[in-house]
Amino acid sequence: MRYTLRQLEYFIAAGEAGSIRHASERLSISQPSISTAISHLEQELGVQLFVRHHAQGLSLTPAGHKLVAEAKRIIQMAEGLYTSASDATDQVRGPLTVGSMVTLAPMIMPELAHSFMAAYPGTEIRQFEANHELLLDKLKRAEIDIAVTYDLLIPEGIDFVPLASLAPHALVSEDHPLAGRPEVELAELAQEPLILLDLPLSREYFLALFFREKLKPKMYSYSAHQEVVRTMVANGYGYTLANVRPRSDLALDGRRVVRLRIAGEQRAMVMGIATPASVRKSRLLKSFEDHCMTCISDSHIPGMVGPDFTN
């Protein structure tokens, strides 16, 4: 065999990124190194893997699509040696790919992953952030080992362990007329312009809060990016609904947002860990599950303030 696992990793990264430059940024590897690896594979395997588009990146050839899937399987099998060694020697070591709901990842994953790797120095947490729908798809395809996400429409074949409940709340700018209130009614919010976090399943959850009370929100804007929504709210465009509770009340432009409780009984999102039901859990995966159950609860969530909005 005259190719290396590292060359396969570079090939996979370029195929997923669609360009040498983006693959280079993702891997923190020089562009010439990735180009050389791809050229070597093409020469060694006797097949063209990519179509090069001038100034527009790369696209996989039909053969490239097939081989990138095979390359992923080879990498997974190679990494499985760490799991086998860990199970055989009672050691917790090796890489673990952890998916996280994109709205949770910035707050939870840095502390959660760092504390786990500090407790188990032979491990490596590889993070993947996405919306809930994509995370479930990645779990089904065994492309990630575990996901930190919500209890939204968990399908058959996925095990979900609940860890903490996150009640919905409203966010307004600090000079909004409602900002000084201890809590607000959904009927009052329905009269204000809503800036909705536009992610699969999340948007349906937020809109259902109104529909259950036969209310129709006054839509103003949508965005799939949490910080865009927060910054628009901080600048007075309207309000939004959220479940996450960042420790900072500042938007990215430095303006402040204010959290308001929503009156009445509202359905909380339940955060937890999801894993494929059919996959045998390694010692590494079980150890990470235990770590999550120790670190995440209703009384404490990494990166967030408590349910009473205090640290």
Side-chain angles (χ1 to χ4, degrees):
M1 187 177 70
R2 293 189 291 270
Y3 59 84
T4 67
L5 294 177
R6 190 170 300 280
Q7 288 171 339
L8 293 181
E9 289 177 338
Y10 293 175
F11 163 50
I12 293 168
E16 292 179 338
S19 81
I20 299 292
R21 180 173 65 85
H22 291 150
S24 171
E25 293 171 352
R26 172 178 163 182
L27 296 174
S28 298
I29 298 296
S30 71
Q31 294 185 42
S33 296
I34 295 176
S35 296
T36 300
I38 292 172
S39 296
H40 178 85
L41 284 174
E42 289 182 322
Q43 181 178 359
E44 179 65 27
L45 300 175
V47 65
Q48 183 177 348
L49 300 173
F50 292 100
V51 176
R52 277 78 168 173
H53 306 287
H54 179 65
Q56 294 183 8
L58 308 168
S59 59
L60 287 163
T61 63
H65 276 288
K66 181 177 180 180
L67 289 176
V68 79
E70 292 296 331
K72 287 181 179 180
R73 278 192 279 272
I74 291 171
I75 295 297
Q76 288 173 350
M77 291 174 65
E79 289 179 344
L81 290 176
Y82 289 104
T83 299
S84 298
S86 175
D87 290 345
T89 61
D90 292 334
Q91 295 179 340
V92 178
R93 61 191 300 267
L96 192 70
T97 304
V98 180
S100 179
M101 178 66 178
V102 66
T103 53
L104 296 172
M107 284 163 275
I108 292 177
M109 288 309 301
E111 181 179 331
L112 188 67
H114 184 269
S115 58
F116 181 75
M117 290 187 290
Y120 301 99
T123 63
E124 177 189 0
I125 299 297
R126 300 175 179 175
Q127 299 182 41
F128 175 82
E129 303 85 31
N131 64 61
H132 180 72
E133 194 172 62
L134 182 55
L135 289 176
L136 294 178
D137 183 64
K138 291 285 186 181
L139 283 171
K140 290 178 186 176
R141 296 172 182 270
E143 293 180 6
I144 58 176
D145 298 303
I146 187 172
V148 180
T149 188
Y150 291 119
D151 63 337
L152 298 174
L153 298 180
I154 301 296
E156 186 176 346
I158 299 293
D159 289 336
F160 182 82
V161 179
L163 298 178
S165 294
L166 293 173
H169 58 267
L171 282 180
V172 298
S173 64
E174 61 181 337
D175 57 358
H176 193 283
L178 296 173
R181 299 268 297 276
E183 67 177 25
V184 63
E185 301 279 347
L186 272 177
E188 295 176 280
L189 292 173
Q191 306 305 312
E192 300 287 331
L194 170 60
I195 304 165
L196 183 66
L197 181 64
D198 192 20
L199 293 172
L201 302 182
S202 295
R203 58 177 169 258
E204 289 81 7
Y205 162 81
F206 289 124
L207 292 175
L209 299 176
F210 293 99
F211 298 157
R212 275 195 293 269
E213 297 192 17
K214 297 181 171 55
L215 297 170
K216 184 178 180 180
K218 184 178 175 182
M219 297 304 308
Y220 176 79
S221 182
Y222 303 80
S223 176
H225 301 284
Q226 185 169 242
E227 287 305 329
V228 172
V229 172
R230 282 172 59 88
T231 303
M232 289 184 70
V233 168
N235 280 270
Y237 286 91
Y239 75 98
T240 194
L241 300 176
N243 296 84
V244 296
R245 305 186 297 260
R247 289 176 182 166
S248 173
D249 60 4
L250 299 179
L252 289 183
D253 66 351
R255 289 180 170 83
R256 184 169 171 261
V257 294
V258 176
R259 289 187 291 272
L260 300 175
R261 293 180 182 83
I262 300 175
E265 292 293 324
Q266 308 297 336
R267 189 211 160 197
M269 277 193 183
V270 178
M271 183 179 64
I273 46 178
T275 53
S278 59
V279 175
R280 183 183 70 86
K281 293 180 181 178
S282 65
R283 186 180 303 277
L284 172 61
L285 180 54
K286 289 177 183 176
S287 297
F288 186 75
E289 282 187 314
D290 291 343
H291 186 72
C292 290
M293 288 186 275
T294 299
C295 295
I296 302 172
S297 66
D298 284 332
S299 60
H300 174 75
I301 301 174
M304 293 194 200
V305 296
D308 58 353
F309 297 173
T310 62
N311 287 307

